[in-house]
Amino acid sequence: MDLKELVEIGEKQRNSAKKIRIHCCNAAGCISSNSSAVKDKLEIAVKEAGLQETVEVAKVGCMKFCGRGPLVQVEPAGTLYEQVKPEDAASIVAVLKGEEATAKTGNANHPFFTRQMPVVLENSGKINPEKIEEYIAAGGYQPLYRVIYEMSPNEVIDELSHSGLRGRGGAGYPTGLKWATVAKMSGEQKYVICNADEGDPGAFMDRAVLESDPHRVLEGMAIAAYAVGANSGYIYIRAEYPLAIDRLQKAIKQAKKLGILGSQIFDSPFDFKIDIRVGAGAFVCGEETALIASVEGKRGNPRPRPPYPAESGLWGCPTLINNVETFANIAPIVREGGDWYRSIGTEKSKGTKVFALTGKVKNTGLIEVPMGTTVRQIVEEMGGGVSNGGVVKAVQTGGPSGGCIPADALDTPVDYEHLRELGTIMGSGGIIVIDNNTNMVDVAKFYMEFCQQESCGKCVPCRAGTVQMYEILDKIYHKRANIADIDKLEALCHMVRDMSLCGLGQSAPNPVLSTLRYFREEYLELI
Amino acid sequence: MQSVDVDRKDNKSVEDKRFKVLENAIKRHQYHQDALIEILHKAQEIFGYLEEEVLKYVAQKLKMPLSRVYGVATFYHLFQLKPKGEHTFVICMGTACYVKGADELLKVLEEDVNLRPGETTPDGKVSLMTARCIGACGIAPAAVIDGRVCGKQIPSDVLEKVKNCLPV
Ligand SMILES: Cc1cc2nc3c(=O)[nH]c(=O)nc-3n(C[C@H](O)[C@H](O)[C@H](O)COP(=O)(O)O)c2cc1C
Ligand code: SF4
Ligand code: FES
């Protein structure tokens, strides 16, 4: 396979495309509301209308407006249909012949869509994730080719450092710096791992990327492997995502067949193979050292760092671990250049971020916006405000490791620095809207129960501390506590934060500290 | 009756066959110890849950102490050491589902059919479990009923679905 052949595959795919494409969402959210039947009926309707020459029905990845699925969009016109039922199919096809629509149309010009800036999700909802040809037709795998033939590993890393990309798995560590560290390590054997554990409850960005555009992640990993000098990679993915696992397996097989993965990629001396490792339901395995233990087939207990995985990771070898979304950003950065990427976002947080917008908000779904978009724009303009006419009380980010943004801080721009100032974190990208019907002590209790159950038990501060904090929160919630208990709770928070071994314990107190900071009166009311 | 006999024989051979399928899976992983989690997934898929027999078999084949196999099997929530019911109801208790009233779903099941998370009805018909976000937050509250993801669940519907699985 060389560049010419790659381009030809893309051209052939583009030439075979029909004039009108009916996109039918085929990601997990819409499948659960019967989108497969919708697709079958659409195909029948196209045939019955005798339009097969000019119209095709394509199953595509996430179309983002998950709360109103199943979604169907007719391209190139862009007409969007929501909550489509199989019996709407005939009407959707009839519209192509100039009849009135009876199916429920959506507004593709709503800020929910127009405020988005798709980089990671540029192909999501547009291409069939199970066809490598469609990814190639969208320009896919050309960046990998260019990297192998036109750039040295150092040049790739320099470009990435220049782009300002920071890790999307939570901590926001500069990706270029991480790659440079692994690249500098001596040693024959190095590994690249993609963290697809996505453990934060309320977050489904990585799932959507993997289900909608798996090749993009493989390409990002391959570019990384080239840059750091690795020849073997793993994707560690949670078992709760069977469709994503299936699509990754298919994607790996297709790429291998074309000589884009495996040995002598694009007939160059560069080899890189990818294996999938499926998790088994342990939140702590998202932590990088625990994840490595799990890939090795062991209990997922974290270990102290240093040494960092970059120095000593999988089987003691230098290992690069990045999140799914981090890898999904790589191909566009190579294609468009670091300058382009750093022109998006804020001073210290570059590029876009994908968020899963959920909770008590009218429009739930997946959004990708430039860093620096305000919480208000996300929740009120894009999300349409609180469902059922309530008012926003707080917005939770960062899951069990994060905290709340109170309603009066909604004008805060979303980036790593501003969220940290508010006492929360960007996390992996879950944004959960909380309205005035939800008690904040209950929210804190909910997260503490989570941490208590997910603590791996290796170190005492976290194992015992989360249990004690949970008990105090439960006591407060059931109005059996006194004021001294709140002091005790705060003291425990600081102890667990400072003494725990890994990020789970260190950040477990965050939801409590954050709700105490902004909603102390709700605690006091229960005393 | 003849059919009973046949059944019994079948059961026996089905049992053997299952170990055979497991052995093949282990072979495919070239008896590598680091494939333990993959192998346990496969074993659970074949047997429905990880009974002691199965854990012993895996330990022997991978040449590792039973304690290590057991340690891994108990560490991960998805591995089941007890048999599951005929039907499984997994209610998502992730944040997005929680704020959309997932606890109401559990409450109605506890109150009406006396079923709590982690339990199976005495007749072995229905198992109830909870999950930590199944990635369907856009259609919260979500459940996985017999392997199928279902969105926007309401208490009365879930209760009815459970009741439909139980004998009247
Ligand atoms: C308890 C805990 C859970 C984590 N879960 C995840 C996860 O689900 N996905 C992820 O990408 N990173 C997770 N992380 C962060 C990883 O340890 C690691 O920093 C990340 O994968 C690095 O990738 P990045 O630099 O691309 O962000 C978790 C960290 C902790 C402490
Ligand atoms: S902080 Fe908690 S999760 Fe992390 S190692 Fe200690 S006990 Fe395990
Ligand atoms: S919180 Fe229930 S599906 Fe994510």
Side-chain angles (χ1 to χ4, degrees), chain A residues 445 448 452 464-478 480-481 489:
Chain A
K445 181 167 96 87
M448 194 53 72
Q452 174 206 321
T466 51
V467 174
Q468 284 182 26
M469 288 190 286
Y470 175 75
E471 276 167 6
I472 297 178
L473 285 165
D474 193 58
K475 220 162 112 185
I476 296 173
Y477 186 65
H478 290 105
R480 293 195 311 262
L489 180 64

Side-chain angles (χ1 to χ4, degrees), chain A residues 67 207 279 281 298-299 447 453, chain B residues 41 71 76-77 132 134 152:
Chain A
R207 171 183 200 155
K298 305 190 184 120
R299 290 165 67 98
Y447 281 118
Q453 288 176 358
Chain B
H41 271 303
Y76 295 96
H77 306 314
R132 292 294 186 201
I134 52 169
K152 299 185 180 167

Side-chain angles (χ1 to χ4, degrees), chain A residues 26 31 119 190 336 367 401 419 456 509 517:
Chain A
N26 211 256
I31 288 181
V119 173
K190 296 180 191 176
E336 312 285 340
I367 58 169
S401 320
L419 292 185
C456 80
R517 172 167 165 191

Side-chain angles (χ1 to χ4, degrees), chain A residues 264-450:
Chain A
Q264 298 174 358
I265 293 176
F266 288 123
D267 300 319
S268 75
F270 170 54
D271 301 339
F272 182 57
K273 69 174 177 79
I274 299 180
D275 283 315
I276 296 176
R277 284 289 154 100
V278 178
F283 173 66
V284 73
C285 285
E287 195 279 336
E288 53 193 25
T289 60
L291 185 150
I292 287 172
S294 190
V295 172
E296 292 173 354
K298 305 190 184 120
R299 290 165 67 98
N301 289 117
R303 62 157 178 78
R305 298 174 308 178
Y308 286 88
E311 301 143 15
S312 172
L314 193 58
W315 292 298
C317 301
T319 302
L320 173 75
I321 295 196
N322 276 129
N323 161 266
V324 170
E325 191 182 330
T326 312
F327 282 124
N329 270 298
I330 304 300
I333 291 176
V334 170
R335 192 182 66 215
E336 312 285 340
D339 268 332
W340 162 78
Y341 198 78
R342 59 178 301 117
S343 71
I344 309 166
T346 60
E347 196 200 330
K348 287 190 179 149
S349 304
K350 301 298 183 193
T352 60
K353 178 78 195 84
V354 183
F355 293 103
L357 182 60
T358 63
K360 298 281 188 62
V361 62
K362 245 184 228 142
N363 308 326
T364 56
L366 203 63
I367 58 169
E368 180 174 9
V369 290
M371 294 275 190
T373 307
T374 67
V375 187
R376 188 182 305 284
Q377 285 164 339
I378 292 175
V379 172
E380 294 185 351
E381 281 181 40
M382 304 179 76
V386 172
S387 46
N388 305 330
V391 293
V392 179
K393 177 152 120 185
V395 173
Q396 211 277 349
T397 66
S401 320
C404 302
I405 300 164
D408 60 16
L410 285 188
D411 290 312
T412 310
V414 177
D415 65 14
Y416 294 101
E417 285 68 35
H418 281 96
L419 292 185
R420 180 141 306 172
E421 264 167 43
L422 288 178
T424 180
I425 58 167
M426 173 94 76
S428 54
I431 294 189
I432 293 152
V433 178
I434 295 169
D435 73 353
N436 49 348
N437 290 320
T438 308
N439 179 287
M440 298 310 283
V441 181
D442 192 28
V443 172
K445 181 167 96 87
F446 169 83
Y447 281 118
M448 194 53 72
E449 186 181 15
F450 180 93

Side-chain angles (χ1 to χ4, degrees), chain A residues 60-304:
Chain A
V60 296
C62 181
M63 288 160 71
K64 301 168 193 157
F65 213 3
C66 311
R68 302 260 182 94
L71 299 168
V72 168
Q73 190 160 30
V74 183
E75 297 290 4
T79 324
L80 180 74
Y81 297 94
E82 305 171 347
Q83 294 170 331
V84 180
K85 294 189 240 19
E87 53 270 29
D88 295 330
S91 143
I92 290 174
V93 174
V95 173
L96 299 175
K97 290 184 147 181
E99 287 173 36
E100 278 288 312
T102 52
K104 192 169 169 190
T105 51
N107 179 5
N109 295 319
H110 189 281
F112 182 87
F113 295 107
T114 54
R115 270 210 170 271
Q116 302 221 19
M117 180 172 185
V119 173
V120 167
L121 299 176
E122 60 188 352
N123 290 334
S124 180
K126 298 207 155 61
I127 66 166
N128 182 339
E130 297 185 0
K131 280 196 176 163
I132 191 171
E133 294 82 7
E134 295 204 7
Y135 180 67
I136 293 173
Y141 287 120
Q142 285 188 32
L144 175 62
Y145 184 90
R146 273 199 42 218
V147 160
I148 294 176
Y149 280 102
E150 294 166 22
M151 292 170 90
S152 70
N154 276 338
E155 283 171 332
V156 179
I157 293 174
D158 286 346
E159 195 67 35
L160 189 60
S161 301
H162 181 63
S163 77
L165 176 65
R166 294 168 65 176
R168 301 295 192 236
Y173 190 81
T175 309
L177 201 56
K178 201 188 255 189
W179 288 25
T181 311
V182 181
K184 270 201 259 23
M185 295 298 297
S186 54
E188 284 286 288
Q189 185 67 58
K190 296 180 191 176
Y191 293 99
V192 169
I193 295 180
C194 172
N195 187 343
D197 198 44
E198 194 159 62
D200 278 5
F204 54 94
M205 307 77 47
D206 294 348
R207 171 183 200 155
V209 171
L210 294 168
E211 285 179 356
S212 308
D213 200 6
H215 285 287
R216 159 181 304 269
V217 179
L218 303 184
E219 185 171 12
M221 288 178 73
I223 293 173
Y226 174 80
V228 303
N231 61 13
S232 173
Y234 288 94
I235 301 174
Y236 186 86
I237 181 167
R238 60 199 303 247
E240 289 88 341
Y241 289 179
L243 183 65
I245 296 171
D246 183 57
R247 291 201 172 148
L248 276 173
Q249 274 162 345
K250 280 196 183 120
I252 292 173
K253 208 184 262 172
Q254 292 166 349
K256 258 198 205 146
K257 203 166 152 207
L258 291 183
I260 297 175
L261 277 184
S263 16
Q264 298 174 358
I265 293 176
F266 288 123
D267 300 319
S268 75
F270 170 54
D271 301 339
F272 182 57
K273 69 174 177 79
I274 299 180
D275 283 315
I276 296 176
R277 284 289 154 100
V278 178
F283 173 66
V284 73
C285 285
E287 195 279 336
E288 53 193 25
T289 60
L291 185 150
I292 287 172
S294 190
V295 172
E296 292 173 354
K298 305 190 184 120
R299 290 165 67 98
N301 289 117
R303 62 157 178 78

